[in-house]
């Protein structure tokens, strides 16, 4: 890293608690930068896009929004969705539009069990658990292909078609990404999640590509598991997991299960990566906009701050990322917890504790 590097970050808080946790994450990142003795800094530009913007304009983001974002070093995202806007409009109009247009094909979701947090999984009390879900983020079941028709037939007569798309290129790049990631971990293992017994075209292509790519990584242990069996394995044998790679839908569901097992979706971080860096990557907590607690200071900022740590890694600041992860661990170990994980601390309390923990 060159000294005095300024990173240009687009902040999109969007909706609900997304605004609160992005503000918290920015405060922690700025505190980290201020303590770097000029080694790096963040130049933030915030965009007002989201459901309020939709109510004013009929669009979730500006018509030229992608053009506005394309030259940033990264995008820091909050959460999208509000009861006044149908979910499929809010999601496809903002988050998925950015992900697909910027070919952010690798979604990385660590499942990390933090000290001081009680997991509903009894095995977590005495077993070291830590794995990461790698999600194909550009096609699969969320390709957006299909349509609705025949509404003129009257009630009960409409037809909807939703097609999953699997390409050899898409399967290979995410599977190879998972193997490369496995080589950086203590346990070199990749678990492929499939449903090829019932989905005999797309998922069989996935299986074929997985077997072919695995041959290039003889040093990495492999297994291929049906998604229903993997759901059980997350609960019964999570100690056997290291890197789990799956299609868009399957990894989405499994990663949420993993986050719940770790204690709360409020803890879960994620990165939407364009590994070739042709476009900016986007970093966001996994949780939703939580309209029921929005604006009350109850939101858990740890997922957003963990996503900021993933962003630091992506920006070439691994030591600072490790420092931020350690601050998260020290904060939860100290019992400064929000309501979703059994505590009474506010968003502001946790944010302050995280900043204080950067300099123990």
């Amino acid at each position: 890293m060159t000294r005095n590097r300024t990173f240009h970050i687009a902040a999109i808080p969007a909706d609900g608690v997304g605004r609160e946790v992005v503000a918290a994450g920015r405060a922690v990142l700025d505190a980290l930068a201020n303590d770097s003795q000029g080694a790096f800094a963040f130049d933030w530009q915030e965009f007002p896009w989201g459901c309020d913007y939709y109510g004013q304009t009929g669009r979730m983001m500006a018509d030229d929004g992608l053009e506005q974002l394309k030259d940033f070093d990264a995008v820091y995202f909050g959460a999208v969705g509000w009861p006044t806007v149908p979910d499929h409009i809010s999601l496809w109009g903002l988050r998925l539009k950015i992900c697909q247009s910027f070919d952010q094909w690798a979604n990385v979701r660590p499942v990390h069990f933090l000290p001081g947090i009680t997991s509903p999984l009894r095995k977590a009390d005495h077993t070291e658990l830590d794995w990461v879900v790698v999600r194909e983020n550009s096609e699969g079941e969320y390709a957006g292909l299909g349509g609705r028709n025949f509404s003129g037939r009257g009630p009960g007569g409409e037809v909807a078609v939703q097609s999953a798309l699997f390409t050899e290129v898409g399967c290979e790049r995410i599977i190879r990404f998972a193997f490369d990631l496995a080589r950086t971990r203590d346990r070199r293992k990749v678990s492929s999640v499939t449903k090829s017994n019932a989905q005999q075209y797309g998922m069989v292509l996935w299986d074929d590509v997985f077997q072919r790519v695995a041959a290039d990584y003889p040093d990495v242990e492999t297994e291929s598991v049906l998604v229903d069996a993997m759901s059980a394995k997350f609960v019964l044998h999570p100690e056997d997991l290291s890197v789990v790679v799956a299609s868009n839908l399957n990894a989405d569901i499994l990663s949420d299960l993993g986050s719940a097992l770790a204690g709360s979706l409020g803890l879960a971080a994620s990165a939407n990566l364009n590994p070739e860096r042709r476009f900016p990557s986007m970093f966001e907590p996994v949780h939703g906009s939580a309209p029921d607690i929005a604006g009350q200071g109850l939101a858990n900022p740890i997922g957003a701050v963990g996503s900021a740590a993933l962003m630091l890694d992506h920006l070439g600041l691994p030591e600072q990322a490790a420092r931020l992860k350690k601050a998260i661990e020290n904060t939860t170990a100290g019992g400064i917890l929000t309501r979703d994980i059994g505590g009474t601390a506010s968003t502001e309390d946790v944010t302050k504790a995280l900043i204080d923990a950067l300099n123990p």
Side-chain angles (χ1 to χ4, degrees):
M1 182 187 70
T2 58
R3 294 185 63 82
N4 302 315
R5 175 76 191 275
T6 297
F7 297 100
H8 303 282
I9 310 296
I12 308 177
D15 303 315
V17 299
R19 301 175 185 178
E20 298 165 67
V21 299
V22 164
R26 286 180 58 172
V28 175
L29 285 169
D30 285 339
L32 198 62
N34 290 339
D35 194 45
S36 73
Q37 298 179 332
F40 66 95
F42 296 103
D43 176 29
W44 298 94
Q45 183 173 340
E46 186 167 308
F47 294 87
W49 304 329
C51 289
D52 282 350
Y53 187 86
Y54 181 87
Q56 299 165 13
T57 67
R59 303 184 304 275
M60 288 296 297
M61 65 186 300
D63 288 338
D64 65 344
L66 295 172
E67 182 67 22
Q68 293 185 50
L69 293 176
K70 68 179 180 61
D71 292 326
F72 281 89
D73 292 311
V75 178
Y76 191 44
F77 193 85
V80 67
W82 200 250
T84 56
V85 180
D87 287 343
H88 66 281
I89 290 177
S90 59
L91 187 65
W92 278 98
L94 187 56
R95 184 195 173 276
L96 286 179
K97 185 172 183 178
I98 295 170
C99 285
Q100 288 199 344
S101 299
F102 286 167
D103 200 21
Q104 295 168 347
W105 52 265
N107 181 225
V108 179
R109 294 187 172 188
V111 179
H112 187 51
F113 289 72
L114 291 165
I117 295 177
T118 302
S119 165
L121 195 63
R122 285 184 297 176
K123 188 167 284 189
D125 294 339
H126 53 78
T127 307
E128 185 175 347
L129 302 174
D130 185 68
W131 70 92
V132 59
V133 177
V134 173
R135 170 187 176 189
E136 200 294 310
N137 208 36
S138 67
E139 52 182 49
E141 304 87 350
Y142 294 176
L145 303 177
R148 294 172 61 171
N149 210 338
F150 303 130
S151 61
R153 291 178 175 177
E158 190 172 6
V159 174
V161 175
Q162 189 82 44
S163 297
L165 173 72
F166 292 88
T167 69
E168 191 166 2
V169 169
C171 293
E172 177 164 351
R173 66 184 183 178
I174 195 65
I175 290 169
R176 198 169 290 279
F177 181 96
F179 274 95
D180 289 336
L181 179 60
R183 279 181 166 171
T184 70
R185 294 174 59 83
D186 291 338
R187 181 161 188 196
R188 296 185 170 191
K189 180 180 180 180
V190 176
S191 303
S192 172
V193 179
T194 184
K195 193 59 181 172
S196 50
N197 59 341
Q199 295 177 297
Q200 72 271 44
Y201 303 121
M203 292 265 77
V204 170
L205 174 63
W206 177 283
D207 286 349
D208 289 345
V209 173
F210 182 74
Q211 293 174 13
R212 174 168 57 79
V213 171
D216 294 336
Y217 297 83
D219 56 316
V220 178
E221 183 184 355
T222 64
E223 65 176 349
S224 186
V225 184
L226 295 178
V227 64
D228 35 1
M230 183 56 81
S231 299
K233 189 168 189 173
F234 265 45
V235 176
L236 299 176
H237 301 291
E239 72 281 0
D240 196 38
L241 302 172
S242 180
V243 175
V244 178
V245 63
S247 66
N248 217 328
L249 174 63
N250 289 338
D252 189 9
I253 296 170
L254 286 173
S255 60
D256 279 7
L257 172 59
S259 300
L261 294 174
S264 170
L265 261 67
L267 303 169
S270 78
N272 302 287
L273 302 176
N274 174 247
E276 302 88 354
R277 299 177 185 261
R278 294 183 297 115
F279 301 101
S281 295
M282 182 163 67
F283 302 83
E284 59 172 332
V286 170
H287 62 71
S289 59
D292 57 324
I293 63 168
Q296 300 177 43
L298 300 175
N300 190 341
I302 287 179
V305 175
S307 301
L310 295 174
M311 183 168 71
L312 291 172
D313 265 326
H314 180 73
L315 295 173
L317 301 172
E319 293 180 1
Q320 300 298 333
R323 187 177 167 195
L324 190 49
K325 292 173 187 176
K326 186 63 177 176
I328 292 173
E329 293 179 353
N330 288 341
T331 297
T332 60
I336 305 170
L337 310 175
T338 47
R339 189 176 68 175
D340 60 307
I341 44 178
T344 59
S346 66
T347 309
E348 184 179 356
D349 292 335
V350 176
T351 304
K352 182 180 183 301
L354 287 165
I355 293 172
D356 290 344
L358 292 174
N359 297 289

